[in-house]
């Protein structure tokens, strides 16, 4: 089973460039999440989607947009990348109602120069 | 969302039992307590979840006192491979979806 798949695994951007991080899950989960993790720090929630068709801001949404394309896919877009967005980005999914056990992807290491 | 407080770091030795305590004084009636483990360069992995008293699985035990204002993750007979960051989370699982991580406890196991 693939679980949660993120693409790409690594990316280098120049300041001001845009890009979309892709995430897909094959567990028929309702909820999906995007987190960022800076070196030596904990995870911070950027955006989440409780169910298909809904998205909500997390702790640090500024500079990001998301799209819940369908039940399987949840993408994160950086419209104008900044060096402060250099981080490891994790996508996760969970069944949602009555069960918040989350399953994480392998992460995308993003560097903005 | 209830805020959690846990030690920044802990050290132990192989074969020992390790107990990591998390404080969550403002836990709400519907909140569950969940623990995750994260190895370097990997996403967190669910360990255990509980509401009250004691929960045990093949990996760990979770002890929750009656007032639920704290919880203790117990790892029996740790090995070097248990070196990781452990996160305590508190949140409503009934119809809720927001999963917030704190700063975690960095556990180092020595030979």
């Amino acid at each position: 089973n693939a679980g949660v798949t993120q693409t790409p695994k690594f990316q280098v951007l120049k300041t001001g460039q845009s890009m979309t991080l892709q995430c897909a899950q094959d567990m028929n989960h309702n909820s999906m999440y995007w987190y960022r993790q800076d070196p030596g720090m904990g995870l911070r929630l950027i955006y989440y989607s409780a169910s298909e068709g809904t998205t909500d801001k997390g702790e640090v949404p500024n500079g990001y947009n998301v799209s819940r394309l369908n039940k399987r896919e949840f993408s994160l877009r950086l419209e104008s990348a900044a060096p402060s967005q250099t981080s490891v980005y994790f996508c996760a999914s969970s069944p949602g109602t009555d069960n918040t056990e989350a399953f994480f992807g392998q992460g995308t290491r993003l560097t903005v120069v | 969302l209830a805020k959690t407080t846990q030690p920044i770091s802990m050290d132990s030795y192989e074969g020992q039992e390790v107990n990591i305590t998390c404080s969550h004084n403002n836990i709400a009636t519907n909140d569950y307590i969940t623990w995750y483990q994260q190895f370097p360069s990997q996403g967190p992995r669910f360990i255990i979840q509980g509401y009250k008293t004691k929960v045990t699985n093949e990996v760990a035990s979770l002890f929750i006192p009656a007032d639920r204002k704290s919880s203790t993750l117990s790892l029996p007979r740790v090995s070097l491979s248990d070196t990781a960051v452990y996160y305590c989370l508190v949140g409503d699982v009934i119809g809720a979806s927001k999963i917030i991580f704190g700063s975690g406890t960095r556990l180092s196991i020595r030979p």
Side-chain angles (χ1 to χ4, degrees):
Chain A
N1 291 335
V4 178
T5 303
Q6 293 182 233
T7 55
K9 289 186 173 59
F10 302 93
Q11 183 71 48
V12 179
L13 289 178
K14 293 183 179 179
T15 297
Q17 285 185 316
S18 62
M19 80 160 295
T20 300
L21 280 63
Q22 306 287 352
C23 176
Q25 52 93 7
D26 62 1
M27 295 172 282
N28 200 36
H29 284 169
N30 291 314
S31 302
M32 297 186 73
Y33 314 83
W34 276 105
Y35 295 89
R36 61 175 288 175
Q37 185 171 37
D38 299 334
M41 306 293 287
L43 286 83
R44 291 184 292 172
L45 182 64
I46 305 171
Y47 270 93
Y48 68 103
S49 171
S51 60
E52 185 179 355
T54 68
T55 60
D56 284 288
K57 295 179 180 179
E59 303 171 278
V60 289
N62 291 344
Y64 305 94
N65 286 302
V66 291
S67 295
R68 183 74 183 266
L69 304 171
N70 47 56
K71 192 170 186 179
R72 289 187 66 247
E73 299 172 288
F74 189 38
S75 63
L76 178 71
R77 183 161 178 84
L78 287 71
E79 290 292 350
S80 179
S84 60
Q85 294 178 306
T86 294
S87 191
V88 179
Y89 291 83
F90 288 103
C91 176
S93 71
S94 75
T97 303
D98 296 343
N99 186 338
T100 59
E101 177 181 348
F103 297 80
F104 284 77
Q106 77 278 27
T108 295
R109 189 173 297 274
L110 176 67
T111 302
V112 182
V113 297
Chain B
L1 295 170
K3 180 178 169 56
T4 61
T5 303
Q6 50 184 126
I8 294 174
S9 64
M10 294 180 65
D11 295 323
S12 189
Y13 294 90
E14 281 191 297
Q16 298 295 306
E17 178 183 77
V18 171
N19 295 311
I20 306 174
T21 296
C22 178
S23 297
H24 27 80
N25 291 319
N26 296 324
I27 190 168
T29 302
N30 289 337
D31 285 347
Y32 278 67
I33 300 152
T34 310
W35 286 80
Y36 284 81
Q37 173 192 58
Q38 185 181 26
F39 298 116
S41 301
Q42 294 185 26
R45 181 175 73 106
F46 172 91
I47 302 176
I48 197 165
Q49 184 179 79
Y51 184 80
K52 62 180 178 181
T53 63
K54 176 184 175 182
V55 180
T56 298
N57 61 22
E58 65 277 6
V59 176
S61 294
L62 178 60
F63 297 92
I64 305 168
D67 66 5
R68 305 201 324 122
K69 293 183 183 300
S70 67
S71 59
T72 299
L73 175 73
S74 181
L75 305 172
R77 298 184 59 78
V78 293
S79 64
L80 296 176
S81 63
D82 291 314
T83 293
V85 179
Y86 293 81
Y87 296 96
C88 166
L89 285 69
V90 173
D92 186 353
V93 302
I94 308 301
S97 298
K98 207 169 186 177
I99 302 179
I100 301 292
F101 284 77
S103 52
T105 297
R106 190 172 299 274
L107 176 65
S108 298
I109 305 300
R110 306 177 192 282

